[in-house]
């Protein structure tokens, strides 16, 4: 039996955040290598570390939000399975609210995902723009 499209909507924000989390972890992985080759005790390195630390902090915060909800996924699968069984038997469905549809959690994850994406883009832009220019002139903190 296929899962109705309306049930899958609950998971899209989590899938999007998971993808961003993976990309950010990859960017961070290579940012440490890049930082190694920057001039030590320089303004460029300080600014780079500041943006890098911001990316690290937000990445870990998003990771924590997603990890705390692992038990909710199992509960959600059971909830959907019960609803599909009721539908298959022709029983009246009285949908149980999904914990993953919690608007506060959803908004927190979506907002953090957008912030994380912006920080990641600034860090990458600074690295790309640094070729032939001073890195510190290209990192936007805000």
């Amino acid at each position: 039996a296929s899962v109705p499209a309306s049930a899958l909507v609950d998971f899209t924000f989590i899938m999007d955040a998971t993808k961003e989390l993976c990309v950010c972890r990859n960017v961070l992985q290579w940012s440490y290598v890049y930082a190694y080759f920057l001039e030590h005790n320089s303004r460029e390195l300080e600014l780079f570390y500041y943006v890098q630390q911001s990316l690290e902090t937000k990445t870990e915060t998003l990771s924590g939000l997603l990890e705390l909800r692992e038990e909710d996924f199992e509960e959600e699968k059971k909830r959907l399975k019960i609803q599909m069984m009721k539908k298959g038997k022709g029983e009246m469905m009285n949908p149980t609210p999904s914990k993953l549809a919690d608007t506060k959690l959803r908004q927190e994850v979506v907002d953090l995902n957008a912030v994380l994406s912006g920080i990641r883009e600034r860090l990458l832009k600074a690295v790309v723009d640094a070729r032939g220019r001073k890195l510190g002139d290209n990192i936007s903190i805000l």
Side-chain angles (χ1 to χ4, degrees):
S2 64
V3 178
S6 61
L8 293 177
V9 172
D10 286 353
F11 294 103
T12 58
F13 75 102
I14 292 175
M15 290 187 296
D16 292 343
T18 302
K19 288 176 191 173
E20 183 65 31
L21 191 62
C22 291
V23 170
C24 286
R25 289 198 187 280
N26 192 36
V27 167
L28 281 168
Q29 172 187 352
W30 290 104
S31 73
Y32 303 118
V33 175
Y34 183 79
Y36 177 80
F37 290 101
L38 290 174
E39 185 180 326
H40 295 285
N41 300 320
S42 66
R43 178 176 178 259
E44 293 80 27
L45 186 60
E46 284 182 38
L47 287 170
F48 186 83
Y49 279 157
Y50 179 83
V51 176
Q52 184 186 49
Q53 182 182 20
S54 182
L55 184 63
E56 287 173 349
T57 303
K58 298 294 184 195
T59 298
E60 290 308 313
T61 301
L62 182 60
S63 179
L65 281 175
L66 296 175
E67 287 173 6
L68 290 174
R69 305 302 182 224
E70 187 176 336
E71 62 276 1
D72 291 340
F73 285 113
E74 290 304 316
E75 193 174 307
E76 183 70 9
K77 286 189 330 191
K78 289 176 189 173
R79 185 184 73 82
L80 288 172
K81 187 175 181 179
I82 290 169
Q83 286 183 353
M84 294 304 291
M85 288 172 43
K86 284 182 178 181
K87 185 177 180 182
K89 293 178 182 177
E91 293 180 26
M92 186 67 154
M93 285 182 39
N94 200 359
T96 313
S98 168
K99 283 187 179 180
L100 296 174
D102 175 16
T103 55
K104 183 180 178 193
L105 167 67
R106 178 186 301 269
Q107 195 60 53
E108 194 173 353
V109 169
V110 168
D111 290 348
L112 189 55
N113 193 22
V115 168
L116 198 54
S117 177
I119 295 170
R120 174 181 50 82
E121 288 300 319
R122 280 196 300 277
L123 186 67
L124 288 174
K125 184 178 183 325
V127 169
V128 170
D129 288 351
R131 303 181 102 186
R133 297 188 195 132
K134 284 196 159 237
L135 178 65
D137 296 336
N138 298 305
I139 297 180
S140 170
I141 294 172
L142 300 176

